[in-house]
């Protein structure tokens, strides 16, 4: 009997736990770990069922056919490099200095991207960046998701074979993959992560104004402010800005409609209006413009956007 592949997961906070649920729903085996004793994951393992077991980080690295990293980025230098030797490693981590502390190599520009920093530590592994731009709350198993309904997640890395392996993993989990290039290209993924934070911040502000969650109350999170192209911001209304933040984070029209409590037709109308304002024809070009990129051949210059 052929055994299903095993995904090791180092770090079982919200993102790591969500990935474990996706993997188990796809009939993969998972070995979950965190910085504490494996016994602290008993409730998660009980929820996941027979396909899951808890272990130490070194064991998760050793037993996983592929290993996902979902720890705070400032713990990258404590990852078990010997146990990860020769393996494809999925990097879910983002650099949030306001939350986890600053990393000198990234602040100084010595390392261009966080994934390059991780790859340099795991020199004998093959690191691929993925899942870092999507809200963990959207990483949910969906048995109705067919090939035509799947969201697309960008991936980046230097090793083509490793990216092909991660693409196959995403297919099992219910996603398409978009190869955006090398680690240097993954700067765009960091911007997408900021866009995701921005979408959360907009939702949080709306809740505060409605007195749903007051600052300082349990459950309140002061998300770091995100930045984007000033000319784009001037052109787009607040609702359009949120739609672009979600689009840049890889959401489908269906997912945007669900998050914003709108009909899919309304979302499509918003997108059409946004394309006209930005002077582009496609969603990809709109996202590039939203991220401040100018490599879209049909996009007009920023000074003329609002003209």
């Amino acid at each position: 009997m052929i055994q299903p592949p095993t995904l090791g997961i180092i770090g079982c906070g919200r993102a790591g736990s969500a990935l474990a649920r996706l993997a188990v729903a796809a009939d993969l085996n998972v070995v979950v770990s965190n910085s504490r004793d494996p016994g602290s994951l008993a409730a998660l393992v009980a929820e996941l069922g027979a396909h899951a077991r808890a272990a130490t980080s070194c064991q998760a690295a050793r037993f996983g056919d592929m290993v996902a990293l979902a720890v705070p980025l400032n713990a990258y230098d404590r990852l078990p490099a010997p146990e990860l030797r020769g393996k494809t490693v999925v990097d879910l981590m983002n650099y949030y200095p306001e939350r986890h502390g600053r990393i000198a190599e990234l602040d100084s520009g010595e390392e261009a991207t966080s994934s390059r920093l991780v790859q340099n530590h795991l020199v004998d592994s093959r690191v691929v960046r993925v899942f870092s731009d999507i809200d963990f709350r959207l990483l949910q198993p969906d048995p109705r998701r067919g090939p035509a309904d799947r969201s697309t997640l960008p991936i980046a890395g230097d090793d083509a074979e490793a990216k092909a392996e991660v693409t196959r993993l995403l297919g099992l989990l219910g996603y398409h993959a978009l190869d955006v290039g090398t680690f240097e290209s993954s700067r765009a993924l960091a911007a997408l992560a900021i866009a995701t934070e921005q979408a959360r911040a907009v939702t949080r502000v709306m809740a505060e104004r409605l007195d749903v969650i007051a600052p300082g109350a349990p459950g309140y999170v002061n998300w770091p402010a995100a930045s984007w192209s000033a000319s784009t911001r001037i052109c787009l209304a607040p609702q359009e800005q949120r739609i672009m933040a979600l689009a840049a984070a890889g959401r489908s029209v269906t997912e945007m409609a669900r998050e914003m409590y709108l009909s899919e037709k309304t979302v499509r109308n918003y997108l059409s209006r946004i394309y006209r304002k930005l002077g582009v024809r496609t969603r990809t070009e709109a996202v590039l413009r939203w991220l401040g990129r100018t490599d879209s051949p049909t996009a007009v210059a920023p000074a003329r956007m609002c003209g």
Side-chain angles (χ1 to χ4, degrees):
M1 180 179 177
I2 299 177
Q3 294 294 321
T6 297
L7 179 65
I9 301 177
I10 299 178
C12 275
R14 296 174 296 183
S17 298
L19 179 58
R21 294 183 184 98
L22 266 183
V24 166
D27 292 325
L28 302 181
N29 292 320
V30 297
V31 180
V32 295
S33 67
N34 60 14
S35 59
R36 294 171 288 168
D37 186 272
S40 64
L41 295 170
L44 177 62
V45 170
E47 174 195 339
L48 295 173
H51 280 292
R53 64 189 179 98
T56 65
S57 295
C58 288
Q59 290 169 334
R62 188 180 306 123
F63 297 137
D65 298 308
M66 188 184 302
V67 181
L69 308 178
V71 298
L73 184 62
N74 64 351
Y76 82 93
D77 56 353
R78 298 194 292 276
L79 293 167
E83 287 78 8
L84 291 169
R85 183 177 293 115
K87 298 195 175 185
T88 294
V89 175
V90 179
D91 176 16
L92 284 75
M93 301 180 290
N94 284 309
Y95 182 38
Y96 294 127
E98 295 86 354
R99 297 188 207 172
H100 305 132
R102 295 199 167 276
I103 298 174
E105 295 91 335
L106 294 177
D107 288 345
S108 66
E110 180 181 341
E111 294 294 348
T113 68
S114 62
S115 291
R116 175 69 66 193
L117 188 71
V118 175
Q119 179 67 85
N120 287 346
H121 174 64
L122 303 177
V123 64
D124 295 319
S125 304
R126 304 178 303 175
V127 177
V128 178
R129 185 180 177 92
V130 68
F131 290 116
S132 57
D133 65 297
I134 187 169
D135 188 333
F136 73 92
R137 287 167 289 193
L138 294 179
L139 292 176
Q140 297 180 2
D142 185 353
R144 300 167 300 174
R145 183 182 289 157
D149 302 317
R150 294 182 171 190
S151 295
T152 298
L153 295 180
I155 64 174
D158 290 348
D159 190 291
E161 184 179 342
K163 287 192 285 188
E165 189 176 351
V166 170
T167 296
R168 290 191 291 271
L169 172 67
L170 291 179
L172 292 174
L173 299 181
Y175 293 90
H176 293 305
L178 173 65
D179 187 349
V180 301
T182 64
F183 285 131
E184 280 58 46
S185 302
S186 72
R187 290 190 181 114
L189 301 191
L192 294 183
I194 291 176
T196 300
E197 291 295 313
Q198 178 193 348
R200 293 182 188 174
V202 170
T203 303
R204 187 67 56 180
V205 169
M206 292 171 64
E208 291 161 15
R209 289 178 179 175
L210 294 171
D211 294 326
V212 176
I213 303 176
Y220 173 78
V221 178
N222 183 19
W223 298 105
S227 61
W228 61 89
S229 166
S231 55
T232 299
R233 181 178 184 178
I234 292 171
C235 287
L236 301 184
Q239 191 83 318
E240 294 168 341
Q241 291 177 19
R242 188 177 178 213
I243 283 179
M244 277 310 305
L246 294 173
R251 305 297 192 275
S252 67
V253 168
T254 300
E255 289 168 335
M256 285 190 273
R258 184 167 58 240
E259 284 197 41
M260 299 183 67
Y261 300 100
L262 300 173
S263 69
E264 292 184 23
K265 180 179 179 180
T266 300
V267 172
R268 290 191 180 93
N269 288 339
Y270 269 118
L271 287 170
S272 296
R273 190 182 311 157
I274 290 168
Y275 297 165
R276 289 195 299 271
K277 287 185 175 182
L278 299 186
V280 300
R281 299 192 188 98
T282 68
R283 175 169 169 164
T284 299
E285 292 169 341
V287 168
L288 289 173
R289 178 59 64 189
W290 171 259
L291 297 176
R293 299 270 295 277
T294 58
D295 42 351
S296 171
T298 62
V300 296
R304 296 168 50 203
M305 274 190 195
C306 300

